């Protein structure tokens, strides 16, 4: 069974007014100090990011979904306990609803990024969700990258959790995707065909003097024997984080089997895939997406059903099929993080209210969801559409 782990990036926010606050350094110092009462759980670790208004929580590798789910919840709780000590909270928001001028983290690497990419880097306060899945070799890893490309925009739609930007509704479900794709090497890739071709392109990109480690939607990790899938917003609800991880592992396993059986990858161009990503970013699950097989517009229910059918065998073998089916039905009926943020704005009439709501959901235990005023009531039509594919 393939192992997998995740990286979740969170906003650090003022608990009174919801504004992002530059306290990552304080939180990391508390993490290093191991203060009594906030000792780190086994597994999750914290790391700095480009801006001081965000912090990253990294899990250890797991083979079982239940173990990963427990560590995701523990990591959120631990990071928030440190943030509270610093006078803040963490919120699973992929962009800040309130206007903010970020404060860059001063390291040699980030200083170089700021110098080179100017406003793009200065404005880049976005929180993503990365899933690492183990592979046996670079050759297998690149074969996987070639065969999961068409399915990645579906994950963007599912995880969409960034409707607001700079104090306004962006009109997008995942505006983080729009902001992120301003980086020079971000986005989908064409089929590589071999590990040698992948490494050759990475070397060519490095030779331009613009990028060292490309920001592809999915790539080989430079530190671990994994593929790293990078298309998702940080998920408002920890259950969605767990679902995305289960789907990503199943996509990787399915792709590896296709490669082993000699099945060729879909040769659709990266330009067309960029349109699929745009649709997912714009609409989430509240508009037509591109079918990952035909690359023509289709309903979100149809696309989610196609994804579930594509990875069902892999999900069954890891014991994750029921969780994935229930999770897809839940999001389809209850809404993505973006939809829930907009509902919070309608209820509260303020972006501070959105942040307060998001902070609460970020730290909900699964057992508490039945009490949060948003019961899971999957529609019969939606359920039937997803199960039928």
């Amino acid at each position: 069974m393939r192992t997998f782990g995740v990286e979740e990036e969170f906003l650090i926010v003022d608990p009174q007014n919801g504004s992002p606050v530059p306290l990552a350094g304080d939180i990391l110092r508390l993490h290093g100090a191991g203060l009594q009462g906030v000792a780190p759980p086994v597994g999750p670790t914290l790391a700095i990011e480009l801006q001081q208004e965000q912090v990253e929580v990294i899990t250890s590798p797991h083979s079982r979904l239940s173990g990963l789910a427990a560590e995701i919840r523990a990591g959120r709780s631990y990071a928030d306990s440190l943030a509270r000590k610093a006078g803040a909270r963490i919120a699973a928001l992929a962009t800040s609803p309130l206007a903010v001028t970020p404060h860059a983290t001063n390291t040699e690497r980030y200083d170089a990024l700021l110098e080179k990419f100017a406003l793009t880097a200065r404005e880049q306060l976005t929180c993503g969700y990365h899933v690492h899945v183990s592979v046996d070799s670079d050759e297998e890893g690149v074969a996987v990258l070639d065969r999961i490309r068409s399915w990645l925009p579906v994950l963007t739609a599912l995880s969409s959790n960034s409707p607001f930007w700079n104090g306004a509704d962006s009109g997008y479900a995942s505006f983080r995707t729009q902001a992120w794709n301003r980086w020079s090497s971000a986005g989908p890739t064409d089929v590589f065909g071999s590990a040698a071709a992948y490494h050759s392109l990475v070397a060519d990109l490095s030779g331009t003097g613009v990028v060292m480690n490309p920001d592809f939607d999915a790539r080989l990790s430079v530190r671990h024997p994994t593929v790293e899938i990078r298309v998702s917003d940080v998920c408002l609800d920890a259950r969605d984080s767990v679902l995305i991880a289960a789907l990503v592992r199943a996509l990787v396993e399915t792709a590896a089997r296709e490669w082993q059986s000699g099945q060729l990858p879909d040769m659709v161009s990266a330009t067309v895939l960029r349109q699929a990503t745009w649709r997912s970013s714009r609409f989430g699950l509240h508009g037509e997406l591109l079918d990952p097989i035909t690359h023509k517009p289709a309903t979100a229910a149809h696309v989610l059903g196609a994804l579930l059918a594509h990875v069902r065998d892999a999900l069954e073998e890891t014991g994750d099929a029921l969780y994935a089916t229930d999770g897809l039905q839940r999001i389809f009926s209850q809404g993505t993080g973006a939809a829930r943020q907009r509902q919070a704005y309608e209820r509260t009439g303020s972006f501070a209210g959105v942040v307060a709501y998001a902070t609460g959901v970020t730290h909900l235990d699964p057992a508490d969801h039945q009490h949060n005023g948003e019961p899971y009531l999957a529609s019969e039509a939606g359920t039937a559409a997803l199960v039928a594919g």
Side-chain angles (χ1 to χ4, degrees), residues 6-13 20-21 24 27 45-47 49 51-58 71-80 83 89-95 125-129 161 234-238 241 358 361-363:
V6 306
E7 302 165 358
E8 290 193 292
E9 298 166 355
F10 298 101
L11 282 183
I12 307 167
V13 298
V21 287
I27 291 172
T45 188
L46 273 58
E49 273 297 327
Q51 309 292 2
Q52 295 180 48
E53 288 83 1
Q54 59 189 149
V55 65
E56 181 177 61
V57 180
I58 305 166
E71 191 172 354
I72 285 172
R73 293 192 296 271
R76 288 182 173 212
S77 177
Y78 172 59
D80 191 56
R89 299 294 302 275
I90 66 162
L93 293 165
T95 56
L125 179 57
T126 62
C127 295
Y129 176 59
N161 185 35
V234 68
C235 297
L236 178 64
D237 191 322
S241 301
V361 176
T362 298
H363 307 292

Side-chain angles (χ1 to χ4, degrees), residues 233-251:
D233 284 1
V234 68
C235 297
L236 178 64
D237 191 322
R239 295 174 298 174
D240 298 352
S241 301
V242 178
L243 170 64
I244 295 291
L247 292 171
V248 168
R249 180 168 66 168
L251 279 169

Side-chain angles (χ1 to χ4, degrees), residues 34-355:
L35 292 182
Q36 184 177 3
V38 290
V42 175
T45 188
L46 273 58
I48 58 171
E49 273 297 327
L50 175 60
Q51 309 292 2
Q52 295 180 48
E53 288 83 1
Q54 59 189 149
V55 65
E56 181 177 61
V57 180
I58 305 166
T59 73
S60 53
H62 289 266
S63 58
R64 296 290 181 184
L65 190 63
S66 57
L68 180 63
E71 191 172 354
I72 285 172
R73 293 192 296 271
R76 288 182 173 212
S77 177
Y78 172 59
D80 191 56
S81 70
L82 296 180
R84 285 173 180 262
K85 292 284 186 179
R89 299 294 302 275
I90 66 162
L93 293 165
T95 56
S96 171
L98 291 101
V100 56
T101 301
H103 298 75
T105 301
N106 295 124
T107 68
E108 184 177 349
R109 175 189 171 214
Y110 290 144
D111 288 348
L113 281 175
L114 288 159
E115 174 65 25
K116 183 176 295 182
F117 290 99
L119 187 64
T120 293
R122 294 200 300 273
E123 288 187 343
Q124 193 69 44
L125 179 57
T126 62
C127 295
Y129 176 59
H130 303 167
V131 182
H132 287 258
V133 182
S134 64
V135 290
D136 292 336
S137 65
D138 281 4
E139 206 64 56
E140 181 183 63
V142 172
V144 164
L145 297 181
D146 285 349
R147 288 163 177 79
I148 65 174
R149 300 180 312 134
S150 300
W151 299 97
L152 298 185
V154 190
L155 303 180
T156 300
L158 268 175
S159 67
S160 56
N161 185 35
S162 48
F164 304 119
W165 179 261
N166 208 25
D169 192 319
S170 69
Y172 287 79
S174 174
F175 194 74
R176 180 204 64 87
T177 300
Q178 300 298 313
W180 181 257
N181 280 333
R182 293 189 297 178
W183 294 103
S184 63
S185 61
T189 54
D190 287 310
V191 168
F192 296 106
S194 68
Y198 176 92
H199 289 301
S200 177
L201 176 60
V202 172
D204 288 345
L205 287 172
S206 178
T208 67
V210 180
V211 294
M212 292 299 293
N213 190 24
D215 292 310
F216 301 152
D217 283 351
R219 67 188 185 187
L220 298 181
S221 172
V222 297
R223 295 187 299 274
H224 311 290
T226 64
V227 288
E228 181 186 7
I229 287 71
R230 302 157 50 80
V231 296
S232 298
D233 284 1
V234 68
C235 297
L236 178 64
D237 191 322
R239 295 174 298 174
D240 298 352
S241 301
V242 178
L243 170 64
I244 295 291
L247 292 171
V248 168
R249 180 168 66 168
L251 279 169
V252 171
E253 178 62 25
T254 301
R257 293 177 184 181
E258 290 175 344
W259 171 61
Q260 291 160 3
S261 69
Q263 182 174 329
L264 296 177
D266 184 350
M267 297 302 292
V268 62
S269 72
T271 302
V272 170
L273 291 181
R274 190 173 290 276
Q275 312 316 304
T277 299
W278 185 89
R279 275 189 175 270
S280 293
S281 170
R282 174 67 173 85
F283 300 114
L285 299 183
H286 294 276
E288 287 191 321
L289 307 178
L290 287 195
D291 185 299
I293 298 172
T294 67
H295 309 296
K296 303 297 183 184
T299 65
H302 171 84
V303 170
L304 293 184
L307 172 62
L308 186 60
H310 179 67
V311 299
R312 189 185 300 277
D313 287 348
L315 289 170
E316 292 282 1
E317 292 183 18
T318 56
D320 300 335
L322 181 59
Y323 188 93
T325 302
D326 286 350
L328 288 170
Q329 292 169 358
R330 173 178 50 78
I331 296 176
F332 186 71
S333 73
Q334 181 174 287
T336 62
R340 294 169 71 180
Q341 283 193 57
R342 286 188 169 118
Q343 291 163 6
Y345 183 78
E346 290 175 2
R347 289 195 303 269
T348 66
S350 73
F351 290 127
V354 174
V355 177

